[in-house]
Amino acid sequence: MMKMRTASVFKLDLKQIEGEGDFPCPSCGNTISPDDLSEESYKILEVKSKGDRLEGLTILCNKCGSIIHLVGFELLNEYEEEFSTDP
């Protein structure tokens, strides 16, 4: 009989992360960085947005297979609005 591995699922609030946005996978500690565009450490599964505002991301840790729901993009949206160059 083949044994199926069940992925762990986590919800992570970005407002609780200090630093430049890097964070360890809650399951295996693999570093997840928004600067990693190669999808070597993680893969974006779903992007949730409302209009042009990012509300959440669902990512997959490529090391352990955990699914991580990222929330807390309100501060990023506020920052972008504050420093927007549009008149």
Side-chain angles (χ1 to χ4, degrees):
M1 178 184 237
M2 198 161 102
K3 209 176 196 183
M4 292 188 70
R5 183 176 166 177
T6 306
S8 298
V9 179
F10 299 92
K11 184 175 182 179
L12 187 62
D13 189 338
L14 295 176
K15 294 178 278 189
Q16 307 299 318
I17 297 174
E18 294 184 20
E20 300 294 318
D22 297 3
F23 62 92
C25 170
S27 181
C28 70
N30 183 32
T31 300
I32 309 274
S33 171
D35 296 330
D36 177 14
L37 303 177
S38 68
E39 291 196 338
E40 193 169 311
S41 62
Y42 70 95
K43 180 178 180 179
I44 297 174
L45 299 178
E46 182 181 10
V47 177
K48 294 181 183 178
S49 62
K50 192 175 219 176
D52 61 349
R53 299 177 72 97
L54 182 60
E55 291 194 332
L57 283 177
T58 301
I59 63 173
L60 172 72
C61 175
N62 287 337
K63 185 173 180 182
C64 69
S66 291
I67 296 170
I68 306 166
H69 297 282
L70 299 174
V71 298
F73 287 94
E74 298 86 8
L75 292 177
L76 177 63
N77 290 326
E78 289 172 13
Y79 177 82
E80 286 179 351
E81 284 178 8
E82 186 176 327
F83 292 97
S84 175
T85 57
D86 293 336

